[in-house]
Each structure stands twice: as structure tokens, then as C-alpha cells.
Amino acid sequence: MTTKLDRIVQLAKTQPKLAFTSLAHLLTVDFLMETWKQMNRRGAAGMDQETTTAFEANLRQRCESLVQRAKAGQYRPLPVRRVEIPKGEGKTRPLGIPTVEDRLLQRAVARLLETIYEQDFLPCSYGFRPGRSAHDALRELRNQCMAGRVTTIFETDIRGFFDHLDHRWLMKMLRLRVADTVILRLIVRWLKAGAIVGGVLVRSEEGSPQGGPISPLLANIYLHYVLDLWFQKRHVKSVRGKAYLTRFADDFVAAFEFQVDAKEFEERVRERLKQFNLDLAEAKTRRIRFGRLPHLQGKRTDSFTFLGFQHVAGRDRHGRFAVIRLPAQKSCSRLLDTVKSLLRVHLHARGPQIQMMLLRKLRGFYQYFGLNGCKQRLSRLRHQIMYAWRQAWRLRGQRSKYQWVYLNRCSWFMLPHPEVVHPNV
């Protein structure tokens, strides 16, 4: 199977306009069982309530049935189970959870398509790609601002991108590289499967539910043609100075040498997105003065937020210009709110139990935000969490018992201090 995938990689790399007509024959029982080993088997159940443990108990037979139905056109995905994930400020993000069977087949098809599209995707794209991460995008953006002649940043977000992804445009884009009718039919059925909302089946002619293994790849394919290629092949040729694009999923930042280029980009990107039924999120869209040149010329520079980090123009310990990344206040507030909710729910739990819960939350936060320059703000967040813990415990009674002098002597009250986890980002 590895040899066959390597062959697809070579063809995709050497023939960028080739449409692959034969991919479904690679969807074998062994390929699905290999894919199963790469999946997260602790995921939630879909609308049929079947768990990964129950599916795995009869794995080979289930894979045989799935392959047979998929190739014969008899496979019908179930609607996703819709849940709302809090995202702060009273807002939620809809998450669609497919059944275990649907997740397995989606991941297998995504593996096949990745071998093709990873040869097509441009370096400016970082989200949901093998071997690339948010930290890679942050490093590249910092290098652009530090080494390039950047004076203006255009930051934005696409409003409700996953809910407004146009199915007709997406299928047109896919047919440029995929001509296998079995694969295309599967993708159409996943897009049209709908979602269960409040016990009611809701179908839509647009959107791809977040939560399915294939949705991030489809999103990258869509924005590859809508934004990345357009920026690199057409827009860059019309600007007066340097221009850079950094995209992570539907969140992107464009950096420019001249303010006039940033202004023209804002106008053109709005028109470009409208052609594909997309709009910018106005509340998150703005142009700011940022970079080495405004900073050195004594002009006031603003800060911007990307991938949870606040980017500030400052100076390093040697007095040279530097882009300083700090955990955004919104990210810190969201974690603190989560911790306070957890403390209210587990108000009467034992100290070591609460400590383990907080450790998991804090270590995950440190792992992502552990960049140079972030320790001071992370230390402040740690103190705020410990203060919230103390205040919650004082509600239990015996207020005099939970003084700092007493708590600081308790090993179960200690939380780890932040460290620099990514020194080279």
C-alpha cells in the first residue's frame, strides 16, 4: 500500500494538472484497518451511539462490509450529531460528530486525497496538514516581520467559513484533480448527510460540519483555490512592494511593505471571497501599522492577534527590533473561565483530585503558549488560577483555614510554573 501511495505522490508532483481516475481500488480492508490504527479511538459516539470499542470488537468484518458498500454505491452516511462547543463571550461553535463507521471511511479517503493535494498546497498554508503546525505558522510570520520590509498588517477571519462552504464550487475544484466517481460520490454524500439538531434532521446546501476527519482537508482544498493560489499567482504580481500571506485554516494574516498595497488587498480579497459565497468577519478585520520600519521611525505601532497570540512590536534584550508574542488576553480569560466553572462543579472534591484536573488544563496551555517572552503572562495566569481555587474553597466554610500561609505548605495545592517549550519558534 505504501508503494501505491508513493506512486500517487510522484504522479501528483510531476503532473500538476492530472486528474486521478482510479483511487477507489485502494480502499481495501487492509487499508481501512491500517487507517483505524491512526485514528483517535477515544472520540465520542455519533447519533447511533456506537462506541469505538464496540466497532473494534468486530473490526475486520465491519471493514469488509464498509468497503463493499462504498464501492457498490450502497453506503449511506448517517447525519452527524450536532453539539455546541463554547468559544467565549457567550458564543458557541457547532461541532458535527459522525458515527464511528463514517469517521473511519472519511479518514481513509482523506489519506488518499492528502497524497495528491500535499503536492499542490502552497507553503503559506499551515492548518491541518501533516508535518505542519500552528507554531510553524507563527515562526514564519515572525520571520516575515523581522526580516522583510513589513510596515502594514492586514488581519481578518472568514465569517462562518465551515457553515458557508459552497458545495458546487468545492466539487468543481475537486474534479480538477479527482475523477474517480466512487470517491466523488462519497464526498457528496458526506456533505449532504445533514445534522441532527434538537432531535430534528437539518440538511443544507452549503457547509461542511467541523468534527469529521475529512472536513479540514476539504476546507484547505477550497481555500487553496479561493485564496492561496489567487494571492501567489495573481495578487502578488500587482503589488508595489513585498507581500506575504500566512494562513491557518480560515484564519489568515497578510503582511505588506506599503500601506497602499494592504488597502488594495482588502478591497480585492472581499471581491474574491464574494465570488465563492464567503465574507470577511468585520469585527476581526482591520489594517494596522506594524513592523521594523514604523518602529524604527518612531511611529506608533499597534498589535494584532493570530492563532491565540498577541503580536507586539518591541525590542529584545540587546535593544534591537523584535516581534514579541504573548498569550492573548482572550485566550487567558477563556482558560480562567473554564477553571472557575470546573471549580464550581467540583467544589467538594479533595485537593489532590482538583490538582490533577487543573494540571491537565494548565500543562496543555503551557505546551501551546510556551514561547520566549510568555513566561511573565503565564505566571500571572497561574497565580490567578490558584487565587480562584482558594476563593472557591473558602466557600466551603472554615475560611480561616484556607489562608495563603496554610495552602502554600500543602503539596496538593502546588501548580507547575511555566517554562519555554518552543525556544525556536
Side-chain angles (χ1 to χ4, degrees):
M1 182 56 66
T2 302
T3 303
K4 293 179 180 178
L5 293 180
D6 290 342
R7 175 61 177 162
I8 295 176
V9 170
Q10 282 299 115
L11 286 173
K13 189 179 297 185
T14 57
Q15 302 183 48
K17 294 186 178 180
L18 174 66
F20 289 81
T21 59
S22 181
L23 294 172
H25 73 281
L26 298 175
L27 291 175
T28 63
V29 174
D30 291 337
F31 186 67
L32 260 63
M33 295 187 68
E34 179 184 322
T35 302
W36 178 259
K37 297 177 183 178
Q38 302 175 9
M39 291 179 58
N40 173 22
R41 295 194 285 279
R42 293 182 295 177
M47 66 163 292
D48 62 354
Q49 298 302 313
E50 183 180 37
T51 64
T52 54
T53 303
F55 187 90
E56 192 173 24
N58 201 19
L59 183 60
R60 177 165 285 276
Q61 288 79 0
R62 296 294 298 272
C63 289
E64 290 173 353
S65 172
L66 188 55
V67 169
Q68 181 181 359
R69 286 182 285 128
K71 293 183 178 180
Q74 300 170 349
Y75 165 77
R76 293 291 188 278
L78 291 175
V80 299
R81 180 167 65 88
R82 177 72 61 84
V83 296
E84 299 291 335
I85 305 298
K87 54 181 293 187
E89 299 179 353
K91 299 180 181 179
T92 60
R93 174 183 286 111
L95 185 69
I97 304 176
T99 65
V100 178
E101 179 181 77
D102 294 340
R103 288 206 298 267
L104 174 58
L105 189 56
Q106 283 190 29
R107 183 65 197 118
V109 171
R111 286 183 63 195
L112 295 179
L113 296 182
E114 279 175 356
T115 60
I116 299 171
Y117 284 101
E118 277 301 312
Q119 318 314 313
D120 295 349
F121 289 155
L122 299 180
C124 62
S125 168
Y126 291 89
F128 308 110
R129 294 182 57 188
R132 290 184 157 229
S133 67
H135 292 112
D136 295 325
L138 290 167
R139 181 190 300 111
E140 181 60 26
L141 179 59
R142 184 175 187 269
N143 290 340
Q144 292 166 5
C145 295
M146 294 278 289
R149 297 179 61 83
V150 172
T151 67
T152 307
I153 291 288
F154 176 77
E155 63 167 330
T156 190
D157 195 359
I158 300 176
R159 181 177 62 84
F161 170 71
F162 282 92
D163 296 330
H164 296 95
L165 186 148
D166 190 285
H167 294 174
R168 291 174 299 175
W169 274 116
L170 175 62
M171 297 311 299
K172 287 181 181 180
M173 296 168 186
L174 283 168
R175 290 189 184 99
L176 294 175
R177 291 296 259 162
V178 180
D180 189 308
T181 57
V182 174
I183 300 297
L184 294 174
R185 183 174 61 229
L186 289 174
I187 293 174
V188 169
R189 289 181 177 174
W190 286 324
L191 293 173
K192 304 294 185 183
I196 298 297
V197 182
V200 179
L201 175 60
V202 178
R203 299 188 186 275
S204 176
E205 294 301 316
E206 61 180 6
S208 178
Q210 297 183 67
I214 202 167
S215 291
L217 176 60
L218 296 180
N220 271 336
I221 293 172
Y222 199 83
L223 289 176
H224 169 71
Y225 290 104
V226 172
L227 184 63
D228 301 351
L229 274 178
W230 169 79
F231 183 86
Q232 296 290 351
K233 303 296 184 181
R234 296 182 61 183
H235 183 74
V236 167
K237 295 179 180 179
S238 66
V239 299
R240 297 162 178 77
K242 296 291 185 180
Y244 310 93
L245 177 70
T246 305
R247 181 177 66 81
F248 191 95
D250 60 329
D251 191 4
F252 65 92
V253 167
F256 298 92
E257 181 177 355
F258 298 119
Q259 283 184 304
V260 64
D261 289 337
K263 185 177 181 180
E264 289 179 1
F265 173 75
E266 181 175 0
E267 296 172 356
R268 291 176 181 175
V269 77
R270 287 181 189 276
E271 296 175 359
R272 175 69 177 176
L273 293 178
K274 283 183 179 179
Q275 296 175 19
F276 298 91
N277 300 322
L278 298 174
D279 292 302
L280 297 180
E282 296 299 333
K284 300 179 180 179
T285 300
R286 61 182 186 141
R287 297 192 313 272
I288 65 168
R289 185 180 289 275
F290 189 92
R292 179 187 296 275
L293 295 182
H295 185 75
L296 294 180
Q297 293 169 3
K299 297 180 180 178
R300 182 181 178 275
T301 59
D302 207 340
S303 64
F304 67 96
T305 301
F306 183 59
L307 298 180
F309 284 89
Q310 179 186 5
H311 292 66
V312 181
R315 295 185 182 274
D316 61 16
R317 66 184 65 181
H318 303 294
R320 299 172 298 196
F321 170 78
V323 177
I324 302 170
R325 282 81 51 85
L326 303 171
Q329 191 58 50
K330 184 177 179 180
S331 302
C332 296
S333 298
R334 188 181 299 133
L335 176 64
L336 191 57
D337 290 342
T338 301
V339 166
K340 289 179 179 179
S341 298
L342 185 147
L343 291 171
R344 284 194 296 269
V345 172
H346 301 278
L347 183 63
H348 296 285
R350 296 175 63 245
Q353 292 175 319
I354 294 181
Q355 183 190 42
M356 290 304 298
M357 288 185 263
L358 296 183
L359 281 175
R360 285 193 291 269
K361 296 289 185 183
L362 204 51
R363 282 174 176 165
F365 202 82
Y366 287 170
Q367 182 65 32
Y368 182 74
F369 288 99
L371 272 59
N372 286 313
C374 294
K375 288 181 67 174
Q376 183 176 353
R377 185 164 291 189
L378 292 176
S379 296
R380 188 187 312 146
L381 177 64
R382 171 184 175 272
H383 177 75
Q384 290 172 333
I385 290 175
M386 295 178 71
Y387 181 80
W389 186 3
R390 173 178 178 264
Q391 291 299 98
W393 270 45
R394 284 167 66 88
L395 296 176
R396 297 169 52 161
Q398 298 181 345
R399 295 168 65 90
S400 61
K401 180 178 180 180
Y402 300 114
Q403 299 296 329
W404 285 112
V405 176
Y406 166 74
L407 291 173
N408 286 333
R409 293 200 301 264
C410 300
S411 59
W412 50 260
F413 189 72
M414 294 298 101
L415 295 177
H417 291 273
E419 295 181 355
V420 177
V421 183
H422 309 282
N424 298 320
V425 174

